[in-house]
Amino acid sequence: MSPKSEPCRILAVGAHPDDVEFACGGVLLTEAARGSELFLCVCSRGESGTNGTPEEREAEARHAAELLPARLDFCDLGGDAHIAASVSNALEIARRIRVIRPDILLGPVTSPNQHPDHAVVGHLCRDAARLARYGGIAELRDLPPHAVTHHFAYAVTPAAEPRDQVSIRLDISAQFERWIELMECHRTQLRTRNYIELQTARARLLGIEAGVPHAQALFATDHFLAESLTELPRSSRLF
């Protein structure tokens, strides 16, 4: 799928109510601006978080979804800090993939140096993308199989970014101010740490390295197939 392709359907899965907005909110806003249809699946309500009640966290997530705009669905996988890498949980996400039928699936990277829920949900997304396309699974037979075109991973924090993986950097400069507004929806999470400054500084660095004001990174979970080298986007390296 080239950068100039038609709008697509995107399902972004997060372990907690703020993960997607902080990690790839600029990417989603950029896609929304070009007409892509956005869906969010949040796997907990921040029940074990230091700041904010589950009710507050859910309300913040719903506000953010309205701003994107995106259709939001909460998926109960055991609760914050209790999400397990189980077949049943992978099937829950696979079911949503079959219902939504996205072109692109976004989920967390599986690096160990991050909140445990992030890594677990990353593994669940990987498994769910495969289970969603297998026609013989009894628990999913009421829905037709679906294969996503691309599965990309995002890192919620800089420390979680895979150091041995090539990233895909997306220019989010045109949506930068709106991205800040999107992150500000999660006010409970800004009480003890300036996550907005962390994320905007990170996007500034990723952008400067690539020759644009601001960028966010996604990580491919598989290889690409192209018909010719001319189909490839330009490198982020400033040669």
Side-chain angles (χ1 to χ4, degrees):
M1 186 174 294
S2 71
K4 299 183 183 301
S5 64
E6 293 298 316
C8 57
R9 294 167 72 88
I10 301 173
L11 170 60
V13 181
H16 311 112
D18 53 21
D19 291 348
V20 168
E21 289 86 341
F22 286 144
C24 58
V27 172
L28 293 178
L29 285 165
T30 300
E31 283 298 318
R34 74 181 196 92
S36 291
E37 197 172 2
L38 307 182
F39 300 82
L40 304 181
C41 176
V42 181
C43 300
S44 77
R45 290 174 169 77
E47 296 88 347
S48 300
T50 303
N51 296 305
T53 65
E55 293 75 20
E56 288 175 315
R57 302 290 300 278
E58 178 176 343
E60 290 172 343
R62 294 194 182 282
H63 184 201
E66 290 174 1
L67 286 184
L68 272 169
R71 300 183 200 179
L72 171 64
D73 176 33
F74 280 90
C75 179
D76 183 8
L77 301 186
D80 182 9
H82 294 83
I83 301 175
S86 65
V87 173
S88 61
N89 281 345
L91 286 170
E92 283 294 324
I93 297 176
R95 172 167 289 278
R96 281 155 177 80
I97 292 173
R98 288 198 180 187
V99 169
I100 295 167
R101 308 186 74 76
D103 302 295
I104 295 174
L105 172 66
L106 302 180
V109 296
T110 57
S111 308
N113 190 21
Q114 59 178 325
H115 191 299
D117 285 349
H118 297 170
V120 170
V121 171
H123 284 291
L124 290 173
C125 286
R126 178 200 63 192
D127 293 349
R130 287 157 175 77
L131 296 174
R133 72 175 192 245
Y134 298 156
I137 297 178
E139 296 92 333
L140 301 176
R141 281 181 183 162
D142 58 316
L143 295 165
H146 176 71
V148 300
T149 304
H150 292 297
H151 172 204
F152 295 124
Y154 60 77
V156 179
T157 59
E161 293 180 6
R163 303 304 177 187
D164 57 349
Q165 246 178 289
V166 174
S167 69
I168 302 166
R169 298 193 188 185
L170 293 100
D171 183 357
I172 64 165
S173 306
Q175 300 296 327
F176 182 72
E177 296 300 328
R178 290 196 64 219
W179 177 41
I180 292 176
E181 293 178 16
L182 191 67
M183 292 189 286
E184 286 176 341
C185 291
H186 297 281
R187 294 190 178 277
T188 60
Q189 302 312 292
L190 306 177
R191 291 172 182 169
T192 56
R193 187 173 182 184
N194 193 340
Y195 284 108
I196 292 178
E197 182 66 23
L198 172 67
Q199 298 296 352
T200 55
R202 178 185 175 195
R204 179 62 175 150
L205 175 60
L206 290 171
I208 289 175
E209 290 178 341
V212 299
H214 297 93
Q216 284 188 297
L218 296 177
F219 299 88
T221 62
D222 215 329
H223 301 291
F224 294 101
L225 174 65
E227 293 183 1
S228 71
L229 292 176
T230 58
E231 288 187 1
L232 303 176
R234 70 175 180 84
S235 169
S236 64
R237 183 185 299 276
L238 301 178
F239 290 100

mmCIF file with all atom_site columns, all heavy atoms in Angstrom, residues 78-92:
data_model
loop_
_atom_site.group_PDB
_atom_site.id
_atom_site.type_symbol
_atom_site.label_atom_id
_atom_site.label_alt_id
_atom_site.label_comp_id
_atom_site.label_asym_id
_atom_site.label_entity_id
_atom_site.label_seq_id
_atom_site.pdbx_PDB_ins_code
_atom_site.Cartn_x
_atom_site.Cartn_y
_atom_site.Cartn_z
_atom_site.occupancy
_atom_site.B_iso_or_equiv
_atom_site.pdbx_formal_charge
_atom_site.auth_seq_id
_atom_site.auth_comp_id
_atom_site.auth_asym_id
_atom_site.auth_atom_id
_atom_site.pdbx_PDB_model_num
ATOM 1  N N   . GLY A 1 78 ? -9.222  -8.836  31.225 1.00 0.00 ? 78 GLY A N   1
ATOM 2  C CA  . GLY A 1 78 ? -8.786  -9.143  32.581 1.00 0.00 ? 78 GLY A CA  1
ATOM 3  C C   . GLY A 1 78 ? -8.482  -7.930  33.430 1.00 0.00 ? 78 GLY A C   1
ATOM 4  O O   . GLY A 1 78 ? -8.353  -8.031  34.645 1.00 0.00 ? 78 GLY A O   1
ATOM 5  N N   . GLY A 1 79 ? -8.342  -6.764  32.791 1.00 0.00 ? 79 GLY A N   1
ATOM 6  C CA  . GLY A 1 79 ? -8.088  -5.544  33.543 1.00 0.00 ? 79 GLY A CA  1
ATOM 7  C C   . GLY A 1 79 ? -6.626  -5.134  33.538 1.00 0.00 ? 79 GLY A C   1
ATOM 8  O O   . GLY A 1 79 ? -5.718  -5.945  33.325 1.00 0.00 ? 79 GLY A O   1
ATOM 9  N N   . ASP A 1 80 ? -6.398  -3.860  33.777 1.00 0.00 ? 80 ASP A N   1
ATOM 10 C CA  . ASP A 1 80 ? -5.060  -3.274  33.823 1.00 0.00 ? 80 ASP A CA  1
ATOM 11 C C   . ASP A 1 80 ? -4.144  -4.069  34.754 1.00 0.00 ? 80 ASP A C   1
ATOM 12 O O   . ASP A 1 80 ? -4.499  -4.357  35.895 1.00 0.00 ? 80 ASP A O   1
ATOM 13 C CB  . ASP A 1 80 ? -5.205  -1.827  34.307 1.00 0.00 ? 80 ASP A CB  1
ATOM 14 C CG  . ASP A 1 80 ? -3.901  -1.069  34.360 1.00 0.00 ? 80 ASP A CG  1
ATOM 15 O OD1 . ASP A 1 80 ? -2.881  -1.574  33.864 1.00 0.00 ? 80 ASP A OD1 1
ATOM 16 O OD2 . ASP A 1 80 ? -3.902  0.047   34.914 1.00 0.00 ? 80 ASP A OD2 1
ATOM 17 N N   . ALA A 1 81 ? -2.960  -4.435  34.254 1.00 0.00 ? 81 ALA A N   1
ATOM 18 C CA  . ALA A 1 81 ? -1.945  -5.212  34.978 1.00 0.00 ? 81 ALA A CA  1
ATOM 19 C C   . ALA A 1 81 ? -2.332  -6.683  35.165 1.00 0.00 ? 81 ALA A C   1
ATOM 20 O O   . ALA A 1 81 ? -1.644  -7.410  35.879 1.00 0.00 ? 81 ALA A O   1
ATOM 21 C CB  . ALA A 1 81 ? -1.622  -4.582  36.336 1.00 0.00 ? 81 ALA A CB  1
ATOM 22 N N   . HIS A 1 82 ? -3.416  -7.114  34.521 1.00 0.00 ? 82 HIS A N   1
ATOM 23 C CA  . HIS A 1 82 ? -3.847  -8.505  34.620 1.00 0.00 ? 82 HIS A CA  1
ATOM 24 C C   . HIS A 1 82 ? -4.120  -9.123  33.246 1.00 0.00 ? 82 HIS A C   1
ATOM 25 O O   . HIS A 1 82 ? -4.770  -10.166 33.151 1.00 0.00 ? 82 HIS A O   1
ATOM 26 C CB  . HIS A 1 82 ? -5.110  -8.624  35.480 1.00 0.00 ? 82 HIS A CB  1
ATOM 27 C CG  . HIS A 1 82 ? -4.896  -8.253  36.916 1.00 0.00 ? 82 HIS A CG  1
ATOM 28 N ND1 . HIS A 1 82 ? -4.916  -6.949  37.359 1.00 0.00 ? 82 HIS A ND1 1
ATOM 29 C CD2 . HIS A 1 82 ? -4.625  -9.020  38.006 1.00 0.00 ? 82 HIS A CD2 1
ATOM 30 C CE1 . HIS A 1 82 ? -4.682  -6.921  38.661 1.00 0.00 ? 82 HIS A CE1 1
ATOM 31 N NE2 . HIS A 1 82 ? -4.501  -8.157  39.084 1.00 0.00 ? 82 HIS A NE2 1
ATOM 32 N N   . ILE A 1 83 ? -3.635  -8.496  32.194 1.00 0.00 ? 83 ILE A N   1
ATOM 33 C CA  . ILE A 1 83 ? -3.868  -9.010  30.845 1.00 0.00 ? 83 ILE A CA  1
ATOM 34 C C   . ILE A 1 83 ? -2.906  -10.165 30.578 1.00 0.00 ? 83 ILE A C   1
ATOM 35 O O   . ILE A 1 83 ? -1.690  -10.019 30.699 1.00 0.00 ? 83 ILE A O   1
ATOM 36 C CB  . ILE A 1 83 ? -3.688  -7.899  29.795 1.00 0.00 ? 83 ILE A CB  1
ATOM 37 C CG1 . ILE A 1 83 ? -4.660  -6.744  30.073 1.00 0.00 ? 83 ILE A CG1 1
ATOM 38 C CG2 . ILE A 1 83 ? -3.916  -8.450  28.391 1.00 0.00 ? 83 ILE A CG2 1
ATOM 39 C CD1 . ILE A 1 83 ? -4.472  -5.548  29.165 1.00 0.00 ? 83 ILE A CD1 1
ATOM 40 N N   . ALA A 1 84 ? -3.452  -11.301 30.208 1.00 0.00 ? 84 ALA A N   1
ATOM 41 C CA  . ALA A 1 84 ? -2.639  -12.504 29.994 1.00 0.00 ? 84 ALA A CA  1
ATOM 42 C C   . ALA A 1 84 ? -2.526  -12.828 28.509 1.00 0.00 ? 84 ALA A C   1
ATOM 43 O O   . ALA A 1 84 ? -3.445  -12.568 27.728 1.00 0.00 ? 84 ALA A O   1
ATOM 44 C CB  . ALA A 1 84 ? -3.251  -13.690 30.738 1.00 0.00 ? 84 ALA A CB  1
ATOM 45 N N   . ALA A 1 85 ? -1.397  -13.410 28.148 1.00 0.00 ? 85 ALA A N   1
ATOM 46 C CA  . ALA A 1 85 ? -1.173  -13.850 26.768 1.00 0.00 ? 85 ALA A CA  1
ATOM 47 C C   . ALA A 1 85 ? -1.836  -15.208 26.580 1.00 0.00 ? 85 ALA A C   1
ATOM 48 O O   . ALA A 1 85 ? -1.177  -16.244 26.526 1.00 0.00 ? 85 ALA A O   1
ATOM 49 C CB  . ALA A 1 85 ? 0.319   -13.920 26.475 1.00 0.00 ? 85 ALA A CB  1
ATOM 50 N N   . SER A 1 86 ? -3.156  -15.211 26.472 1.00 0.00 ? 86 SER A N   1
ATOM 51 C CA  . SER A 1 86 ? -3.916  -16.450 26.378 1.00 0.00 ? 86 SER A CA  1
ATOM 52 C C   . SER A 1 86 ? -4.607  -16.563 25.024 1.00 0.00 ? 86 SER A C   1
ATOM 53 O O   . SER A 1 86 ? -4.815  -15.561 24.331 1.00 0.00 ? 86 SER A O   1
ATOM 54 C CB  . SER A 1 86 ? -4.975  -16.503 27.484 1.00 0.00 ? 86 SER A CB  1
ATOM 55 O OG  . SER A 1 86 ? -5.939  -15.477 27.300 1.00 0.00 ? 86 SER A OG  1
ATOM 56 N N   . VAL A 1 87 ? -4.977  -17.774 24.674 1.00 0.00 ? 87 VAL A N   1
ATOM 57 C CA  . VAL A 1 87 ? -5.705  -18.002 23.420 1.00 0.00 ? 87 VAL A CA  1
ATOM 58 C C   . VAL A 1 87 ? -7.038  -17.267 23.442 1.00 0.00 ? 87 VAL A C   1
ATOM 59 O O   . VAL A 1 87 ? -7.447  -16.662 22.453 1.00 0.00 ? 87 VAL A O   1
ATOM 60 C CB  . VAL A 1 87 ? -5.915  -19.506 23.179 1.00 0.00 ? 87 VAL A CB  1
ATOM 61 C CG1 . VAL A 1 87 ? -6.818  -19.731 21.974 1.00 0.00 ? 87 VAL A CG1 1
ATOM 62 C CG2 . VAL A 1 87 ? -4.585  -20.209 22.988 1.00 0.00 ? 87 VAL A CG2 1
ATOM 63 N N   . SER A 1 88 ? -7.724  -17.305 24.580 1.00 0.00 ? 88 SER A N   1
ATOM 64 C CA  . SER A 1 88 ? -9.036  -16.652 24.661 1.00 0.00 ? 88 SER A CA  1
ATOM 65 C C   . SER A 1 88 ? -8.919  -15.150 24.435 1.00 0.00 ? 88 SER A C   1
ATOM 66 O O   . SER A 1 88 ? -9.777  -14.548 23.770 1.00 0.00 ? 88 SER A O   1
ATOM 67 C CB  . SER A 1 88 ? -9.692  -16.945 26.019 1.00 0.00 ? 88 SER A CB  1
ATOM 68 O OG  . SER A 1 88 ? -8.900  -16.453 27.088 1.00 0.00 ? 88 SER A OG  1
ATOM 69 N N   . ASN A 1 89 ? -7.877  -14.534 24.969 1.00 0.00 ? 89 ASN A N   1
ATOM 70 C CA  . ASN A 1 89 ? -7.702  -13.098 24.758 1.00 0.00 ? 89 ASN A CA  1
ATOM 71 C C   . ASN A 1 89 ? -7.343  -12.788 23.312 1.00 0.00 ? 89 ASN A C   1
ATOM 72 O O   . ASN A 1 89 ? -7.808  -11.798 22.738 1.00 0.00 ? 89 ASN A O   1
ATOM 73 C CB  . ASN A 1 89 ? -6.625  -12.554 25.697 1.00 0.00 ? 89 ASN A CB  1
ATOM 74 C CG  . ASN A 1 89 ? -7.142  -12.347 27.104 1.00 0.00 ? 89 ASN A CG  1
ATOM 75 O OD1 . ASN A 1 89 ? -8.352  -12.344 27.341 1.00 0.00 ? 89 ASN A OD1 1
ATOM 76 N ND2 . ASN A 1 89 ? -6.235  -12.176 28.053 1.00 0.00 ? 89 ASN A ND2 1
ATOM 77 N N   . ALA A 1 90 ? -6.511  -13.627 22.701 1.00 0.00 ? 90 ALA A N   1
ATOM 78 C CA  . ALA A 1 90 ? -6.179  -13.433 21.287 1.00 0.00 ? 90 ALA A CA  1
ATOM 79 C C   . ALA A 1 90 ? -7.431  -13.577 20.421 1.00 0.00 ? 90 ALA A C   1
ATOM 80 O O   . ALA A 1 90 ? -7.616  -12.835 19.446 1.00 0.00 ? 90 ALA A O   1
ATOM 81 C CB  . ALA A 1 90 ? -5.113  -14.424 20.855 1.00 0.00 ? 90 ALA A CB  1
ATOM 82 N N   . LEU A 1 91 ? -8.301  -14.502 20.781 1.00 0.00 ? 91 LEU A N   1
ATOM 83 C CA  . LEU A 1 91 ? -9.538  -14.689 20.026 1.00 0.00 ? 91 LEU A CA  1
ATOM 84 C C   . LEU A 1 91 ? -10.467 -13.496 20.167 1.00 0.00 ? 91 LEU A C   1
ATOM 85 O O   . LEU A 1 91 ? -11.210 -13.168 19.226 1.00 0.00 ? 91 LEU A O   1
ATOM 86 C CB  . LEU A 1 91 ? -10.238 -15.968 20.482 1.00 0.00 ? 91 LEU A CB  1
ATOM 87 C CG  . LEU A 1 91 ? -9.600  -17.281 20.019 1.00 0.00 ? 91 LEU A CG  1
ATOM 88 C CD1 . LEU A 1 91 ? -10.245 -18.465 20.725 1.00 0.00 ? 91 LEU A CD1 1
ATOM 89 C CD2 . LEU A 1 91 ? -9.709  -17.431 18.511 1.00 0.00 ? 91 LEU A CD2 1
ATOM 90 N N   . GLU A 1 92 ? -10.445 -12.842 21.327 1.00 0.00 ? 92 GLU A N   1
ATOM 91 C CA  . GLU A 1 92 ? -11.269 -11.646 21.503 1.00 0.00 ? 92 GLU A CA  1
ATOM 92 C C   . GLU A 1 92 ? -10.855 -10.553 20.518 1.00 0.00 ? 92 GLU A C   1
ATOM 93 O O   . GLU A 1 92 ? -11.698 -9.870  19.928 1.00 0.00 ? 92 GLU A O   1
ATOM 94 C CB  . GLU A 1 92 ? -11.159 -11.128 22.941 1.00 0.00 ? 92 GLU A CB  1
ATOM 95 C CG  . GLU A 1 92 ? -11.955 -11.912 23.954 1.00 0.00 ? 92 GLU A CG  1
ATOM 96 C CD  . GLU A 1 92 ? -13.448 -11.792 23.740 1.00 0.00 ? 92 GLU A CD  1
ATOM 97 O OE1 . GLU A 1 92 ? -13.911 -10.700 23.336 1.00 0.00 ? 92 GLU A OE1 1
ATOM 98 O OE2 . GLU A 1 92 ? -14.156 -12.785 23.951 1.00 0.00 ? 92 GLU A OE2 1
#
